[in-house]
Amino acid sequence: MPDLALVEQEVSPLVQKARALVIESAEDMTKSAELLSQCNKYLDAVVEDREKLTKPINQSLKEIRAKYKPTETILETAIVALRQEQSRYQTEMLRKQREEEARIAARVKEGKGNLKLETAVRQIEEIEKPEEVVSTDSGTVKFREQKVLKITDESKVPDEYWVIDEKVLLEALKAGTLVAGAEIELISVPVNYRG
């Protein structure tokens, strides 16, 4: 196992040179290729040494996770189903409560068939309200309101809110599909072969 402190001392000057290098000539490109190869050789050695320690641990973790995964999956599925159903019920109860409150409030005015403020307040207080906290011997469920997106008409959503899936778009372009506003650009990417 290499002494990491020693390796860090050896690579520090290489890293400084790499960060400072600006390629303006073929000679600079040759220097950069040499620096790239040296940095990659050090990195290969560090990664190889690290993997001697981490591969057995990772294999053990993989086996442990595989052992527990089936049970975790069925429990997570049940938890999701219960939460969705609780949310559906609670949201519906709150909707009904708000509708009833609005109906009563709309009747508060002068005249026959309408409600006095005091009567409306009393009726609103008598409306069945969903529990904010449900406690049992095994635990407690609390509810909080959360704002979530509900798209009511996709055609009316402005273009600025649509996100391009770059991976799918690139695959389409690679397959030869013409897409207005997008094209494939070829760039040179260095690949380092260490000697």
Side-chain angles (χ1 to χ4, degrees):
M1 176 177 2
D3 181 353
L4 288 179
L6 184 61
V7 170
E8 286 177 12
Q9 285 179 351
E10 291 176 15
V11 300
S12 183
L14 287 176
V15 170
Q16 289 176 359
K17 287 180 186 175
R19 289 181 177 162
L21 183 66
V22 175
I23 301 173
E24 296 178 343
S25 67
E27 184 180 327
D28 292 339
M29 179 59 84
T30 301
K31 288 179 187 176
S32 73
E34 177 62 24
L35 282 170
L36 180 62
S37 294
Q38 289 175 5
C39 288
N40 273 318
K41 282 182 182 180
Y42 276 110
L43 180 60
D44 291 344
V46 169
V47 168
E48 180 182 340
D49 189 57
R50 182 202 64 210
E51 287 183 353
K52 286 178 190 174
L53 300 172
T54 60
K55 277 189 177 182
I57 294 168
N58 288 336
Q59 183 60 37
S60 295
L61 285 172
K62 183 178 176 184
E63 291 167 10
I64 292 167
R65 288 183 180 123
K67 176 181 176 180
Y68 290 95
K69 187 64 177 168
T71 305
E72 289 174 0
T73 299
I74 61 172
L75 286 169
E76 287 166 353
T77 302
I79 289 166
V80 166
L82 286 167
R83 285 184 173 158
Q84 285 175 340
E85 184 58 16
Q86 289 171 342
S87 177
R88 183 206 59 78
Y89 173 82
Q90 192 77 352
T91 301
E92 180 62 16
M93 292 298 293
L94 287 169
R95 184 192 63 75
K96 287 179 181 179
Q97 174 191 340
R98 289 181 183 126
E99 281 181 1
E100 185 65 14
E101 289 171 351
R103 187 187 64 74
I104 293 169
R107 291 183 56 209
V108 175
K109 51 188 155 186
E110 295 292 324
K112 189 174 180 182
N114 293 316
L115 300 175
K116 291 181 181 178
L117 181 60
E118 299 80 22
T119 306
V121 169
R122 182 181 45 77
Q123 287 183 0
I124 287 174
E125 287 174 355
E126 292 172 358
I127 295 173
E128 181 183 356
K129 296 171 180 59
E131 298 292 326
E132 290 182 23
V133 177
V134 179
S135 295
T136 70
D137 292 340
S138 297
T140 301
V141 175
K142 294 182 180 182
F143 292 92
R144 62 176 166 78
E145 288 191 343
Q146 178 180 357
K147 293 180 180 180
V148 295
L149 175 64
K150 179 179 179 181
I151 296 177
T152 56
D153 186 346
E154 286 185 11
S155 66
K156 293 181 179 176
V157 176
D159 290 345
E160 65 198 65
Y161 296 105
W162 294 104
V163 178
I164 294 174
D165 186 333
E166 292 185 19
K167 183 178 178 184
V168 171
L169 181 56
L170 179 60
E171 291 303 317
L173 290 170
K174 284 181 177 179
T177 305
L178 295 176
V179 179
E183 63 183 31
I184 291 179
E185 177 184 19
L186 296 177
I187 62 171
S188 293
V189 179
V191 178
N192 184 222
Y193 301 95
R194 277 109 37 217

